[in-house]
Amino acid sequence: MLGLLVGTLDSVLDSTAKVAPFRILHQTPDSQVYWSIACGANREEITKHWDWLEQNVMKTLSVFDSNEDITNFVQGKIRGLIAEEGKHSFAKEDDPEKFREALLKFEKCFGLPEQEKLVTYYSCSYWKGRVPCQGWLYLSTNFLSFYSFLLGSEIKLVISWDAVSKLEKTSNVILTESIHVCSQGENHYFSMFLHINQTYLLMEQLANYAIKRLFDKETFDNDPILDDPLQITKRGLENRAHSEQFNAFFRLPKEETLKEVHECFLWVPFSHFNTHGKMCISENYICFASQDGNLCIVIIPLREVLAIDKTNDSSKSVIISIKGKTAFRFTEVNDFEQLVTKLRLKCGAASTQYHDTSTEVTVSSDSTGPSDNLEEKSMTCQKECSKTVNTEALMRVFHPQNLDTLNSKMLKEKMKEQSWNILFAECGRGVSMFRTKKTRDLVVRGIPETLRGELWMLFSGAVNDMATNPGYYAEVVEQSLGTCNLATEEIERDLRRSLPEHPAFQSDTGISALRRVLTAYAYRNPKIGYCQAMNILTSVLLLYAKEEEAFWLLVAVCERMLPDYFNRRIIGALVDQAVFEELIRDHLPQLTEHMTDMTFFSSVSLSWFLTLFISVLPIESAVNVVDCFFYDGIKAILQLGLAILDYNLDKLLTCKDDAEAVTALNRFFDNVTNKDSPLPSSVQQGSNMSDEKSSHIRVDITDLIRESNEKYGNIRYEDIYSMRCRNRLYVIQTLEETTKQNVLRVVSQDVKLSLHELDELYVIFKKELFLSCYWCLSCPVLKHHDPSLPYLEQYQIDCQQFRILYHFLSPWAHSANRDSLALWTFRLLDENSDCLINFKEFSSVIDVMYNGSFTEKLKLLFKLHIPPAYTDVKSQDLSKGDELSKEELLYFSQLHVSRPANENEAESVKNSPEKGKGKVDIQTYLNQWQEEIFKKEENIKNLPRMNQSQFIQFSKTLYNLFHGDPEEESLYQAIAVVTSLLLKMEEVGRKLHSPTSSAKGFSGTVCASQGPSEGTTESHLQDKDPSFLKEEPQWSFAFEQILASLLNEPALVKFFEKPVDVKAKLENAKTSQLRSRTKI
């Protein structure tokens, strides 16, 4: 491919270049002009070019109608490839001028705000129908943009990343390989990339970044790397993706960053050969994985390193010596001298960092690793802080092995232990042991009871967390003691539901340990707190691991191995279910064809993923699954799930409905046994089955796991990672769609807008919220999105965002005082004074403006000019007239909302029963619901009266609304008549009570037949004595008086009942939202 581009570049750009012996030319029929497409030095090279053209270009030409179109397309494609190769030959850092040129084109074509950061750009084709359009794809922090200008036709496409629901690589007859983007129901296809894998990876990273930042607040809050969108770079995103895969593969803390990768050989002493692979180096670890990823894996924490040496021969060797008299020899390492220098510096830093830990470690000749010494120090800290923490696994306390009564199962268990001891002698023991195919085979057979806790810690990476945080658990236990919140209440409720049949959890010893671990974790990670299924998993961990180890194992599972599983929306579990469905389609197509609805697999497999099969399998079989999970991660669960469906395939294909299929699977699980389990029969769940159940064929868990490895062991970690990223977009967008449908269902009952109009309005509402976040650092709006809240409260906007939407959508937005109207409308809707409004409140006022009757619209205007909505608004910048700055708007929106601290707190609890994960008060919800019903029945007689200053502003607003209307003159006259009539009525009423009072002053001002301007009204009031309002008794109007007076004027009634083109308003708002923030 590179030869093709270089040859084309030479032939196209260098007219003096020597003609290559082999060329591919393009000629338009009936034309004398030949275009050089490719050239080669020999037949083999030119044949490769021809094959590439056949696969990537020629298949596409059939869609064009004319020869000229074909020629123009080919020319554009080849030029695009040349430019693409030039861009990759000179990276941004080396040639900033080239990138700056692309940036200028990007800004000119799309006119996005200058804060929008262009990450990179690619030459490609965009398929519009069946015709490809050659152009440039621009990837920026918030948008995917495409621009093409070909044959006089311009194509411009802008898709926000947060609107992408599907992103995948596809291929078909015409397109050999393309990238499919689905956004808001529309499908877009991009093809003919020079480096499609690199492009796809970057698009995936940007889409997931946007999804995490805007939708998945729980994950984003824990990810400071994503906090600044202006710092995102192409290289940074690629490095981040590689680091995530690196940490997941080697089970390292997620804070680790992959720094260097070196191809080399590692000497495997027990096999007497060098295995080829990659050495991966992060801040605190040196890792090695052989080429196939499974043959040999080594993890060396720098805290364990004693010395780093190099050899003087030609082998380019690096020798790393660790505690326990073990050394690793890496050969054929490029730049090995420089690498040794770097590693020595790192180890110096590491030994300083872990000085407190390492100084107490004493290594003997028969040392089995550093974990025992670290445990001693950790336990010492625990004894100082809390003497209640268990220092033994519950299995050892409740089921100690009796060597005097050895039966066949115990003998098998001892044989397993012996196999592992042989492995330890060969491969080492502890965190830096060699992990080989033999290790996996022993894990599949089941880890011995006595080694389970140690090896779970090792394979999960929890041993690293505990080693670098000595005494942490005991401190958290102390700090969390006595805390009382929603999490602790849920924990107390579930404590005795966790393995209730096991003696360990029928005693206070086991229950107390479970309580401490769960409460400590909820204290450590309040974002997760406590979720159901954590109790079941933790119970099993406590059986085989010491209490502190169980805590760190729980940390490893919740925060690394099963990310986002244990939160309010269990997004991680839903993502892995989607991955599972994808694997079912690939490996069990006949089952997919039979099951019309794939959601069956989601519903039945949720507990498999959340509890690692513990909730569906007998405990003695489930622990073998947990063994494999800690060694292979989610891959083991996916493989086992496929094997179970495959084993039951014939039964499932005969099932007529979902209930029958669920029954078949449950019966299968009841008959899964572990014939080698040394657990007493009183504890084994599989041994207590009825005779009826035992008549079915028994399946041994070891055979099932072995079969899952043999059939589905070729599923790669990289593929699972990619499928997780791809399906995460789909899952979160599906949850968002569910939220939207629930909101629309609730809101549609109270408004006259159609469901389609409400849908469009919701999209605009949510888009405005997100647009406010695109270019803001640490945007406070993001903090307002809490997926744990009720649907209506998940998305809320502030006064500034409401003003923008008011300008776009309100039929009264042409008024000169539209900012004031927007402010007063917001204050009216913000009943709980938190300076935020939700979609229900927003849609209710828009509905009145669009579909309300004359009375409803007038009542809205009336309420806008009385408290709590009304406040006197004066802009500091007189040159701007009635326009308010953002700061002024936010200031006025917060007026009169401050309360005493205790009252404010009580009100916040009342208005948001779930906020802060406090106790959910159902009574509060019922009270709110009752209040809403009363509001619907609000009587106009209950409205307070409007005083004279408010009435003056009300009159001004009406004049502003009428300005520019075709019937402006008659409307002015009508409002003058109404105002005069109202004042006369008020004057007569006041004379009956107080003959001395008069309202003539104001009457003379507003009753002019020509419709006076605001300036006239204001100047007249200012000419009067400032003490006028104090000296004169206050007069006021009731809403019924104003309504009755206005109803007598047909021009006014006609104005307010004039229909609004809702569709046009919504379309205009959608197109204007982004444009209003651009420089154009």
Side-chain angles (χ1 to χ4, degrees):
M1 189 59 219
L2 184 62
L4 166 67
L5 292 168
V6 172
T8 308
L9 188 63
D10 290 342
S11 59
V12 173
L13 301 181
D14 188 359
S15 58
T16 64
K18 183 180 178 181
V19 177
F22 296 92
R23 289 188 297 160
I24 298 174
L25 305 176
H26 175 81
Q27 180 195 20
T28 308
D30 303 324
S31 171
Q32 299 301 312
V33 178
Y34 291 83
W35 292 93
S36 179
I37 301 302
C39 60
N42 52 52
R43 183 179 295 276
E44 183 182 356
E45 186 180 355
I46 204 70
T47 303
K48 287 182 180 178
H49 300 339
W50 180 262
D51 292 341
W52 187 90
L53 289 166
E54 274 190 323
Q55 291 295 317
N56 293 276
V57 178
M58 291 185 188
K59 288 184 178 180
T60 309
L61 302 183
S62 61
V63 303
F64 292 100
D65 297 327
S66 67
N67 294 323
E68 287 76 14
D69 289 352
I70 292 175
T71 301
N72 284 321
F73 174 77
V74 172
Q75 286 179 349
K77 184 66 197 170
I78 297 301
R79 285 170 180 159
L81 288 173
I82 293 169
E84 177 81 358
E85 180 62 22
K87 186 194 81 169
H88 283 281
S89 300
F90 310 103
K92 177 189 171 185
E93 289 78 5
D94 301 326
D95 189 8
E97 196 59 42
K98 205 168 191 66
F99 190 86
R100 195 176 297 116
E101 183 182 334
L103 180 60
L104 290 172
K105 285 183 181 177
F106 170 69
E107 292 175 344
K108 182 180 178 182
C109 290
F110 304 103
L112 296 170
E114 57 187 16
Q115 300 100 313
E116 181 65 13
K117 182 178 173 62
L118 177 65
V119 177
T120 190
Y121 58 100
Y122 298 98
S123 168
C124 71
S125 295
Y126 170 64
W127 289 78
K128 194 171 184 182
R130 292 179 56 83
V131 181
C133 307
Q134 181 63 31
W136 288 94
L137 181 71
Y138 297 91
L139 305 181
S140 57
T141 49
N142 297 296
F143 299 97
L144 176 157
S145 311
F146 178 83
Y147 184 81
S148 172
F149 187 82
L150 198 63
L151 306 175
S153 174
E154 183 183 55
I155 295 176
K156 193 182 292 186
L157 180 72
V158 179
I159 301 172
S160 59
W161 291 117
D162 58 79
V164 174
S165 58
K166 184 179 285 187
L167 182 65
E168 60 183 354
K169 282 191 293 185
T170 59
S171 60
N172 54 38
V173 178
I174 297 177
L175 301 173
T176 52
E177 208 169 16
S178 64
I179 295 177
H180 170 212
V181 179
C182 181
S183 171
Q184 296 178 340
E186 295 183 4
N187 294 306
H188 308 275
Y189 293 89
F190 302 90
S191 66
M192 300 190 189
F193 290 95
L194 188 57
H195 304 286
I196 190 166
N197 290 329
Q198 182 193 60
T199 308
Y200 177 75
L201 176 66
L202 201 61
M203 291 170 73
E204 192 175 65
Q205 287 286 104
L206 285 167
N208 272 292
Y209 159 75
I211 290 292
K212 284 183 178 180
R213 183 166 184 250
L214 298 173
F215 295 139
D216 195 6
K217 180 175 178 288
E218 291 167 302
T219 302
F220 183 71
D221 281 352
N222 294 327
D223 202 342
I225 300 173
L226 297 178
D227 201 35
D228 186 357
L230 300 180
Q231 300 303 316
I232 291 178
T233 62
K234 175 175 175 286
R235 182 174 297 173
L237 286 171
E238 289 172 346
N239 291 343
R240 177 183 172 80
H242 294 147
S243 292
E244 286 177 352
Q245 292 187 48
F246 164 72
N247 291 340
F249 183 82
F250 291 107
R251 307 275 195 279
L252 300 181
K254 58 185 178 182
E255 295 79 18
E256 291 297 310
T257 305
L258 181 61
K259 298 295 186 184
E260 297 179 54
V261 178
H262 298 273
E263 282 204 26
C264 62
F265 290 86
L266 172 63
W267 173 249
V268 185
F270 50 89
S271 299
H272 303 290
F273 74 96
N274 281 310
T275 180
H276 180 244
K278 292 182 178 178
M279 179 198 292
C280 305
I281 302 170
S282 66
E283 293 94 339
N284 300 298
Y285 296 87
I286 302 169
C287 303
F288 177 88
S290 57
Q291 203 66 14
D292 64 358
N294 294 321
L295 187 61
C296 181
I297 297 172
V298 171
I299 301 168
I300 308 171
L302 294 185
R303 66 178 183 271
E304 300 292 314
V305 174
L306 294 176
I308 298 177
D309 300 299
K310 60 183 178 181
T311 57
N312 296 322
D313 54 21
S314 59
S315 63
K316 300 179 182 177
S317 298
V318 177
I319 299 173
I320 301 175
S321 303
I322 65 168
K323 299 164 187 175
K325 296 188 176 179
T326 305
F328 298 90
R329 185 184 183 200
F330 300 90
T331 57
E332 299 301 325
V333 183
N334 290 331
D335 301 324
F336 73 104
E337 292 183 344
Q338 188 178 0
L339 178 62
V340 167
T341 305
K342 287 182 185 176
L343 290 177
R344 283 175 176 169
L345 287 172
K346 275 181 174 286
C347 288
S351 63
T352 303
Q353 183 179 351
Y354 301 112
H355 179 72
D356 293 337
T357 301
S358 58
T359 50
E360 296 190 20
V361 175
T362 56
V363 182
S364 60
S365 59
D366 58 349
S367 172
T368 58
S371 58
D372 295 335
N373 299 291
L374 289 168
E375 285 171 9
E376 283 179 22
K377 176 176 169 56
S378 179
M379 297 319 299
T380 302
C381 294
Q382 284 187 345
K383 287 173 185 177
E384 292 174 1
C385 298
S386 172
K387 296 182 180 179
T388 58
V389 174
N390 289 347
T391 57
E392 285 291 338
L394 294 178
M395 193 63 76
R396 293 192 180 188
V397 176
F398 287 88
H399 304 292
Q401 291 189 5
N402 189 352
L403 300 178
D404 297 330
T405 57
L406 284 178
N407 54 30
S408 59
K409 290 185 177 181
M410 289 301 297
L411 285 172
K412 285 185 179 180
E413 187 75 2
K414 288 300 172 187
M415 289 171 64
K416 280 186 187 178
E417 288 182 28
Q418 187 60 28
S419 298
W420 277 97
N421 288 330
I422 294 170
L423 181 77
F424 292 147
E426 288 182 352
C427 304
R429 187 169 185 172
V431 68
S432 298
M433 70 180 288
F434 284 87
R435 305 175 196 199
T436 63
K437 185 178 182 301
K438 189 175 180 182
T439 314
R440 177 191 297 278
D441 292 340
L442 289 179
V443 170
V444 168
R445 286 171 53 190
I447 298 174
E449 303 275 307
T450 55
L451 296 175
R452 207 160 244 143
E454 176 189 343
L455 293 176
W456 283 0
M457 289 289 289
L458 182 65
F459 297 143
S460 67
V463 65
N464 295 314
D465 294 321
M466 194 169 83
T468 54
N469 296 280
Y472 174 86
Y473 174 65
E475 291 174 16
V476 175
V477 168
E478 287 292 325
Q479 292 165 2
S480 62
L481 280 177
T483 55
C484 184
N485 50 41
L486 180 61
T488 56
E489 289 184 12
E490 290 177 346
I491 289 169
E492 288 298 325
R493 188 181 63 227
D494 288 347
L495 282 176
R496 300 192 181 275
R497 302 176 186 174
S498 312
L499 300 186
E501 68 286 341
H502 198 286
F505 298 102
Q506 294 169 1
S507 72
D508 187 58
T509 304
I511 293 292
S512 298
L514 181 61
R515 178 187 292 112
R516 284 192 296 271
V517 172
L518 291 174
T519 306
Y521 186 77
Y523 184 86
R524 165 191 165 85
N525 191 344
K527 290 286 189 307
I528 292 177
Y530 170 78
C531 293
Q532 283 189 337
M534 287 172 67
N535 61 318
I536 298 173
L537 176 61
T538 308
S539 300
V540 174
L541 298 179
L542 283 166
L543 287 178
Y544 294 98
K546 299 172 185 177
E547 189 175 318
E548 183 182 12
E549 293 175 339
F551 171 80
W552 288 114
L553 284 168
L554 185 63
V555 169
V557 171
C558 294
E559 297 176 15
R560 289 202 308 274
M561 300 184 74
L562 297 179
D564 302 335
Y565 263 59
F566 302 99
N567 55 29
R568 294 272 179 173
R569 299 192 292 176
I570 57 170
I571 288 174
L574 296 176
V575 169
D576 283 342
Q577 282 185 308
V579 172
F580 187 51
E581 287 179 16
E582 198 171 325
L583 291 171
I584 293 171
R585 292 190 193 96
D586 293 341
H587 296 277
L588 300 169
Q590 62 272 50
L591 191 57
T592 309
E593 292 168 8
H594 176 72
M595 307 295 279
T596 54
D597 188 4
M598 290 293 285
T599 55
F600 163 75
F601 299 110
S602 298
S603 59
V604 78
S605 65
L606 182 60
S607 62
W608 302 359
F609 290 99
L610 282 173
T611 66
L612 308 178
F613 285 94
I614 296 169
S615 62
V616 293
L617 286 174
I619 183 66
E620 65 275 10
S621 300
V623 290
N624 284 40
V625 178
V626 179
D627 294 341
C628 297
F629 168 74
F630 280 127
Y631 190 82
D632 270 334
I634 194 62
K635 178 176 180 282
I637 305 300
L638 294 168
Q639 287 176 184
L640 184 60
L642 290 172
I644 289 169
L645 295 179
D646 188 23
Y647 190 93
N648 293 276
L649 186 61
D650 294 338
K651 292 179 184 176
L652 292 173
L653 290 177
T654 59
C655 292
K656 297 176 183 178
D657 54 36
D658 291 355
E660 195 175 341
V662 170
T663 303
L665 287 173
N666 286 339
R667 190 176 294 122
F668 167 80
F669 286 130
D670 289 338
N671 286 279
V672 174
T673 63
N674 185 351
K675 62 179 185 291
D676 296 334
S677 174
L679 289 178
S681 57
S682 60
V683 175
Q684 291 193 33
Q685 297 170 346
S687 64
N688 298 324
M689 296 185 298
S690 65
D691 295 335
E692 181 185 351
K693 288 184 179 178
S694 62
S695 64
H696 292 86
I697 299 173
R698 298 290 185 90
V699 183
D700 189 71
I701 187 64
T702 307
D703 297 334
L704 193 62
I705 292 173
R706 185 181 293 113
E707 187 177 333
S708 73
N709 271 278
E710 290 171 357
K711 285 190 174 182
Y712 307 108
N714 58 347
I715 298 172
R716 301 187 312 148
Y717 291 101
E718 296 83 353
D719 295 335
I720 293 173
Y721 177 83
S722 179
M723 284 190 282
R724 272 180 159 179
C725 289
R726 182 168 65 248
N727 283 289
R728 187 180 188 85
L729 291 174
Y730 169 76
V731 165
I732 292 184
Q733 293 289 14
T734 302
L735 290 171
E736 287 298 307
E737 181 65 23
T738 303
T739 297
K740 181 176 79 170
Q741 294 305 325
N742 282 309
V743 169
L744 297 186
R745 188 177 67 252
V746 171
V747 173
S748 61
Q749 300 172 7
D750 300 325
V751 297
K752 297 174 185 174
L753 291 165
S754 68
L755 268 177
H756 176 71
E757 290 167 345
L758 266 180
D759 192 303
E760 295 282 297
L761 191 63
Y762 183 88
V763 170
I764 293 168
F765 177 87
K766 188 169 151 186
K767 188 68 179 176
E768 187 57 41
L769 182 71
F770 287 175
L771 283 170
S772 305
C773 308
Y774 281 171
W775 304 286
C776 298
L777 301 182
S778 303
C779 181
V781 179
L782 288 173
K783 298 174 185 175
H784 303 153
H785 175 222
D786 186 350
S788 66
L789 291 175
Y791 290 122
L792 280 171
E793 306 300 324
Q794 288 189 20
Y795 291 110
Q796 301 180 87
I797 57 174
D798 62 19
C799 194
Q800 167 65 10
Q801 293 148 7
F802 178 79
R803 171 170 66 172
I804 295 171
L805 291 178
Y806 186 91
H807 289 179
F808 290 147
L809 294 166
S810 173
W812 303 337
H814 63 276
S815 172
N817 66 333
R818 63 179 185 171
D819 278 1
S820 299
L821 283 176
L823 169 66
W824 297 331
T825 308
F826 181 85
R827 287 169 58 88
L828 178 67
L829 297 173
D830 183 23
E831 294 182 1
N832 62 355
S833 302
D834 64 351
C835 299
L836 296 169
I837 62 168
N838 61 35
F839 179 71
K840 184 178 182 180
E841 295 160 338
F842 173 76
S843 60
S844 66
V845 76
I846 295 294
D847 184 60
V848 171
M849 293 177 186
Y850 286 172
N851 302 315
S853 63
F854 173 77
T855 303
E856 288 170 333
K857 290 178 181 177
L858 190 64
K859 184 168 78 170
L860 173 61
L861 278 172
F862 183 88
K863 290 168 76 173
L864 294 183
H865 292 82
I866 57 174
Y870 179 76
T871 183
D872 191 23
V873 177
K874 289 183 181 178
S875 176
Q876 294 178 350
D877 189 350
L878 298 178
S879 63
K880 290 186 176 181
D882 289 316
E883 187 178 338
L884 298 175
S885 68
K886 181 179 177 180
E887 292 73 20
E888 290 171 334
L889 190 75
L890 294 175
Y891 167 74
F892 286 125
S893 70
Q894 295 169 13
L895 281 180
H896 310 306
V897 298
S898 58
R899 310 177 187 186
N902 55 351
E903 186 183 337
N904 198 18
E905 186 178 341
E907 186 67 20
S908 67
V909 171
K910 174 186 171 184
N911 290 320
S912 186
E914 285 192 358
K915 230 163 215 181
K917 293 190 182 283
K919 186 175 180 180
V920 179
D921 188 352
I922 303 301
Q923 188 62 42
T924 303
Y925 279 127
L926 294 174
N927 291 339
Q928 287 181 355
W929 181 51
Q930 192 174 22
E931 287 172 11
E932 287 182 9
I933 293 176
F934 288 149
K935 285 173 195 169
K936 290 180 189 175
E937 300 171 354
E938 180 184 54
N939 196 309
I940 58 175
K941 292 181 179 179
N942 298 331
L943 293 173
R945 296 174 68 85
M946 181 182 283
N947 66 31
Q948 64 185 45
S949 63
Q950 294 160 2
F951 183 73
I952 292 170
Q953 184 58 59
F954 178 75
S955 302
K956 290 180 184 178
T957 297
L958 290 177
Y959 280 119
N960 285 326
L961 290 179
F962 302 151
H963 183 67
D965 190 273
E967 304 295 326
E968 180 179 0
E969 190 68 25
S970 59
L971 288 167
Y972 278 161
Q973 290 179 356
I975 197 62
V977 169
V978 168
T979 307
S980 177
L981 177 63
L982 284 168
L983 290 169
K984 285 177 181 177
M985 289 168 55
E986 179 63 19
E987 186 177 0
V988 170
R990 288 169 59 208
K991 279 182 177 179
L992 294 175
H993 296 88
S994 175
T996 59
S997 59
S998 172
K1000 288 182 181 178
F1002 178 72
S1003 167
T1005 305
V1006 296
C1007 291
S1009 63
Q1010 298 303 313
S1013 66
E1014 290 181 24
T1016 310
T1017 308
E1018 289 174 359
S1019 62
H1020 181 83
L1021 290 173
Q1022 288 168 359
D1023 290 341
K1024 295 181 72 68
D1025 191 330
S1027 62
F1028 169 74
L1029 296 179
K1030 294 181 181 178
E1031 294 174 359
E1032 295 274 350
Q1034 285 283 321
W1035 44 264
S1036 61
F1037 297 115
F1039 175 71
E1040 301 99 300
Q1041 292 175 289
I1042 297 176
L1043 175 63
S1045 303
L1046 291 174
L1047 281 171
N1048 288 326
E1049 298 295 329
L1052 294 175
V1053 176
K1054 183 181 176 183
F1055 173 83
F1056 282 106
E1057 290 188 341
K1058 186 165 50 180
V1060 179
D1061 189 344
V1062 180
K1063 184 179 179 182
K1065 277 283 185 186
L1066 294 173
E1067 284 298 322
N1068 177 64
K1070 286 172 70 175
T1071 56
S1072 302
Q1073 270 186 300
L1074 185 57
R1075 195 186 308 147
S1076 68
R1077 288 172 165 80
T1078 64
K1079 296 168 289 183
I1080 297 176

